[in-house]
């Protein structure tokens, strides 16, 4: 800790922050991409994220195994997704309204069941020390990559490939783009959408387990501070592409690390402005990539916001 | 964003239960012809309102421990509500405690509850006593049924600084702060001045997160401080758990705040500045029950039992222990000043001239708007 990095601390902190902070955002946005590609919006993932964080932490505290916690987090997420999916399969039910209800239910239940687990300390998920080649402790710390981050990257690649090149991917896209076409093919759209929402919920549950079991690594009621909602919004930003979700999550994580990093090298004026960086960035990219001739490229045709 | 999500139900009887219960009892009383009291009445109902969860290892937990001590008193009913934002919500919570629970003494414990929320309600309910933690009550501006109380916890951060000054190897210490309000600034300055009492070359890096409770940002700030070379970290946020665990995970020493966090990292925890609200609250409640008036402006420090220090951890060297205990004894004796001249702020302005000293009781300290020389950071 003797070495002073000077201004190099900023890019390093941004990279480190991108790796540390992005994982839950990545998992939620991947799950939401899957759900939205099937033609449904699940706004409840913020609640799923918080409940997943609580369930994973509680399981890790009780069992001593963080991996069991991740599994339980994913299962709880899937149950939340399943509930959303089943309710939305009833005709004339609005998926956005149910999503908001599920968000409130998820956070409320998590706060209720999570009360006894604020105090105990759970075992953390392991990290891979990819910074072993450097003598600098800052570099080693920044490149301590959690296994879930790697799994998230692989999941993004796998999902992109599956959507493009596999039969289940094709089915999902058909259901998402045209209910009538899907019916004509003999598919059952409601069933497929429910499955997609459940799997999407499982992704969000895993994201939650990262929050409570690795970074920041403890359960409390303010653990998410709206990250689940941001991640749902990022799906539009990422144009429903899993690979773009990965980049968007990294961008968001890195921009979030900018504020503290600038203060740590002595740029101390206007930190509230730097904290708004991720949002300003999002606005900027959305404006830059918008077009008057083509609206919402890549948006599934059956989404209730685009219909 | 999460404000509207984080409202959790009242932990004791809900107002509906209470109404239903009292209606039923009233019915029974009417049927049997007894004109007696419809519901059991205790001598005093006291309300506590917290901005976050009651068991956050921090600010709210320190108050909830105090509330628990009041609950144990004879003839007192305690109603509590947690996760109440510093918005119009707190007015609703207070009105509900007054009108439905019959509370006549209310402790809204968060800084932002004072202005405008308590100041709005106090004239409307002249028979209710509002006791606010941290607000600066003044006789010519504010209603007389409002009181403010606080402890001189800056002294605790000064003692933290002494422990930190002995533990640091890099001569750089770090502070994760929520917002640049006077109490936080005094804590940052005291922490550095305590460390400088050990070694005048020590500097303190501060990072403001902008909110009282933002887990991810607090973790990022702690990482940034350690990356910048700080090897002892303390904080002033509502729940220090994340800061303590992150700092200890990066190998830095930690000084606690609000409550005792030593259980989170026994090896790295040096000491901590803790509130002792149990004493303050039980004193105030027993005075109220005896019909005595509580002074509108209550303050106390180490000697009065308003604050206390966590036991020193194993990482504090022998010389540090000796200096820590000596200074602590001196503070308890009274007349000790942390902010004393010659002292400049970190922009070069003189804040105390040679020979000038501010006692902990000096109200000027509660309007602090500067960071002293040696603190790397800015208040805006």
């Amino acid at each position: 800790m003797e070495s002073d990095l000077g201004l190099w601390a900023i890019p390093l902190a941004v990279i480190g922050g991108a790796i540390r902070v992005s994982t839950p955002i990545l998992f939620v946005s991947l799950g939401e991409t899957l759900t939205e590609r099937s033609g449904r919006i699940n706004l409840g993932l913020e609640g799923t994220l918080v409940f997943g964080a609580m369930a994973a932490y509680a399981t890790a505290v009780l069992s001593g195994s963080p991996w069991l916690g991740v599994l339980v987090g994913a299962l709880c997420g899937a149950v939340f997704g399943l509930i959303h999916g089943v309710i939305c399969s009833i005709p004339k039910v609005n998926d956005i309204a149910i999503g908001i209800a599920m968000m409130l239910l998820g956070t409320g239940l998590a706060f209720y069941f999570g009360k006894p687990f604020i105090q105990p300390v759970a075992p953390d998920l392991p990290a891979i020390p990819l910074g072993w080649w450097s003598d600098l402790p800052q570099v080693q710390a920044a490149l301590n990559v959690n296994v879930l981050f790697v799994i998230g990257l692989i999941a993004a690649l796998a999902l992109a490939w599956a959507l493009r090149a596999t039969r289940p991917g094709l089915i999902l896209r058909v259901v998402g783009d045209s209910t009538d076409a899907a019916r004509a093919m003999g598919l059952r759209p409601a069933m497929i959408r429910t499955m997609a929402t459940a799997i999407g919920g499982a992704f969000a549950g895993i994201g939650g387990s990262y929050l409570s079991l690795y970074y920041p690594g403890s359960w409390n009621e303010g653990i998410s501070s709206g990250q689940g909602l941001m991640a749902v919004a990022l799906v539009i930003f990422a144009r429903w592409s899993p690979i773009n979700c990965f980049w968007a999550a990294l961008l968001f994580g890195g921009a979030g690390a900018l504020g503290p990093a600038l203060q740590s090298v002595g740029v101390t004026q206007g930190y509230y402005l730097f904290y708004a960086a991720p949002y300003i960035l999002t606005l900027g990219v959305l404006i830059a990539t918008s077009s008057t001739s083509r609206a919402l490229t890549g948006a599934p045709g059956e989404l209730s916001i685009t219909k | 964003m999460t404000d509207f999500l984080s409202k959790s139900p009242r932990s004791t009887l809900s107002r509906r239960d209470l109404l239903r219960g009292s209606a039923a009892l009233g019915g029974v009383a009417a049927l049997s012809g007894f004109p007696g009291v419809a519901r059991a009445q205790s001598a005093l109902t006291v309300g506590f309102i917290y901005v976050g969860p009651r068991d956050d290892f921090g600010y709210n937990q320190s108050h909830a421990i105090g509330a628990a001590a009041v609950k144990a008193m004879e003839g007192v009913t305690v109603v509590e509500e947690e996760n109440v934002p510093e918005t119009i919500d707190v007015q609703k919570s207070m009105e509900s405690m007054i009108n439905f629970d019959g509370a006549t003494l209310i402790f809204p414990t968060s800084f932002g509850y004072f202005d405008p929320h308590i100041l709005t309600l106090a004239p409307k309910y002249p028979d209710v006593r509002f006791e606010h933690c941290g607000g600066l009550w003044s006789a010519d501006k504010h209603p007389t049924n409002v009181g403010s109380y606080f402890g001189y916890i800056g002294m605790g951060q000064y003692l933290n600084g002494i422990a930190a000054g002995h533990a640091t190897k890099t001569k750089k210490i770090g502070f994760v702060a929520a917002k640049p309000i006077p109490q936080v600034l005094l804590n940052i300055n005291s922490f550095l001045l305590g460390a400088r009492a050990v070694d005048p070359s020590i500097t303190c890096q501060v990072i403001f997160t902008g909110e009282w409770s933002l887990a991810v940002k607090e973790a990022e700030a702690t990482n940034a401080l350690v990356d910048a070379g700080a090897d002892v970290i303390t904080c002033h946020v509502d729940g220090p758990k994340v800061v303590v665990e992150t700092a200890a995970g990066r190998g830095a020493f930690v000084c606690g705040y609000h409550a005792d966090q030593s259980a989170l990292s026994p090896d790295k925890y040096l000491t901590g500045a803790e509130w002792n609200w149990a004493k303050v609250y039980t004193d105030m409640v027993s005075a109220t029950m005896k019909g005595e008036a509580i002074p509108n402006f209550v303050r106390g420090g180490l000697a009065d039992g308003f604050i206390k220090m966590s036991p020193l951890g194993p990482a504090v060297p022998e010389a540090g222990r000796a200096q820590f205990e000596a200074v602590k004894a001196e503070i308890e004796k009274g007349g000790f000043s942390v902010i004393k001249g010659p002292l400049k702020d970190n922009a070069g302005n003189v804040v105390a001239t040679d020979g000038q000293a501010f006692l902990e009781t000096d109200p000027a300290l509660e309007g602090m708007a500067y960071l002293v020389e040696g603190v790397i950071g800015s208040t805006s």
Side-chain angles (χ1 to χ4, degrees), chain A residues 20-21 57 104 111 115 118-119 121 138 141 215 217-218 221 226-227 257 260 263-264 268-272 275, chain B residues 5-6 53 55 57 61 82-83 180 205 207-210 216-217 219-220 223 227 241 245 250 264 377-378 380:
Chain A
R20 284 191 296 259
V21 179
Y57 197 76
L104 296 170
F111 290 1
K115 270 282 163 227
I118 296 178
Q119 295 270 339
V121 177
Q138 290 96 328
Y215 194 78
S218 79
E221 295 173 4
Q227 288 181 72
Q263 286 191 58
S264 79
T268 54
Q269 296 283 336
Y271 47 84
Y272 277 105
Y275 285 151
Chain B
L5 303 178
S6 53
D55 33 18
F57 259 109
Q61 180 171 328
E82 51 182 346
N83 291 318
Q205 178 97 49
I207 293 184
F208 290 100
T209 62
V216 173
K217 196 135 274 169
E220 278 299 297
N223 272 311
D227 283 343
K241 189 182 180 194
E245 287 187 329
R250 288 289 304 269
L264 296 173
S378 150
S380 63

Side-chain angles (χ1 to χ4, degrees), chain B residues 295-310:
Chain B
N296 289 82
F297 193 81
V298 177
R299 292 291 187 272
L302 268 174
D304 316 291
F306 276 44
I307 67 166
K308 59 185 180 189
M309 299 302 294
S310 319

Side-chain angles (χ1 to χ4, degrees), chain B residues 333-368:
Chain B
K333 227 165 50 194
F336 188 86
S337 292
V338 168
I339 305 291
K340 59 174 186 278
L343 188 66
K344 285 182 178 168
D345 69 10
N346 66 359
N349 309 310
V350 175
V351 293
T353 52
D354 206 357
Q356 192 182 9
F358 295 90
L359 288 177
E360 64 176 6
T361 50
D362 197 325
L365 294 181
E366 299 193 27
M368 184 171 275

Side-chain angles (χ1 to χ4, degrees), chain B residues 118-261:
Chain B
I118 291 176
L119 295 181
T120 308
L121 286 193
K124 213 168 138 189
Y125 298 100
D127 298 335
V128 177
R129 178 78 183 184
F130 297 84
E131 279 294 334
H132 179 247
C133 182
L136 192 57
W137 182 86
S138 77
D140 44 340
K141 274 193 289 188
H142 300 136
T144 49
N145 59 329
V146 176
S148 81
Y149 60 94
F150 204 61
Y152 301 118
I153 202 159
M155 289 292 176
Q157 280 290 10
Y158 185 81
L159 289 167
N160 271 352
I162 288 176
H166 282 279
T168 179
K169 303 260 183 323
T170 61
K171 302 300 170 196
K172 188 167 184 183
I173 56 181
F175 200 114
V176 180
K179 298 180 182 189
I181 62 167
Q183 296 163 6
V184 179
L185 298 178
L186 178 60
N187 278 336
I188 299 168
N189 293 335
S190 301
F191 185 55
L192 174 79
L193 291 172
R196 286 203 157 181
V198 179
D199 180 345
S201 69
I202 292 174
T203 57
C204 177
Q205 178 97 49
V206 58
I207 293 184
F208 290 100
T209 62
E211 278 302 329
W212 292 112
S213 182
L214 270 183
V216 173
K217 196 135 274 169
E218 285 157 18
E220 278 299 297
T222 311
N223 272 311
L225 286 173
V226 177
D227 283 343
D231 63 351
V232 185
I233 309 284
T234 191
C235 62
H236 187 163
V237 295
D238 271 355
K241 189 182 180 194
V242 166
V243 172
V244 171
E245 287 187 329
T246 310
R250 288 289 304 269
F253 292 113
V254 197
C255 292
Y257 191 63
H258 288 317
D260 187 355
Q261 289 102 25

Side-chain angles (χ1 to χ4, degrees), chain A residues 172-279:
Chain A
L172 194 78
R173 283 191 290 142
V174 169
V175 170
D177 275 330
S178 167
T179 311
D180 294 340
R183 286 226 177 84
M185 287 168 68
L187 299 170
R188 295 166 63 191
M191 164 88 160
I192 289 159
R193 284 178 187 147
T194 303
M195 298 277 287
T197 316
I199 298 170
F203 269 96
I206 296 173
S209 68
Y210 179 91
L211 277 180
S212 62
L213 291 177
Y214 185 68
Y215 194 78
S218 79
W219 160 247
N220 64 62
E221 295 173 4
I223 190 89
S224 148
S225 32
Q227 288 181 72
L229 278 173
M230 259 340 281
V232 169
L234 272 188
V235 172
I236 301 174
F237 176 65
R239 301 274 187 245
W240 295 271
S241 147
I243 305 288
N244 285 350
C245 281
F246 177 73
W247 295 120
L250 273 189
L251 197 68
F252 233 71
L258 193 63
L262 283 174
Q263 286 191 58
S264 79
V265 297
V267 183
T268 54
Q269 296 283 336
Y271 47 84
Y272 277 105
L273 202 60
F274 294 127
Y275 285 151
Y279 311 101

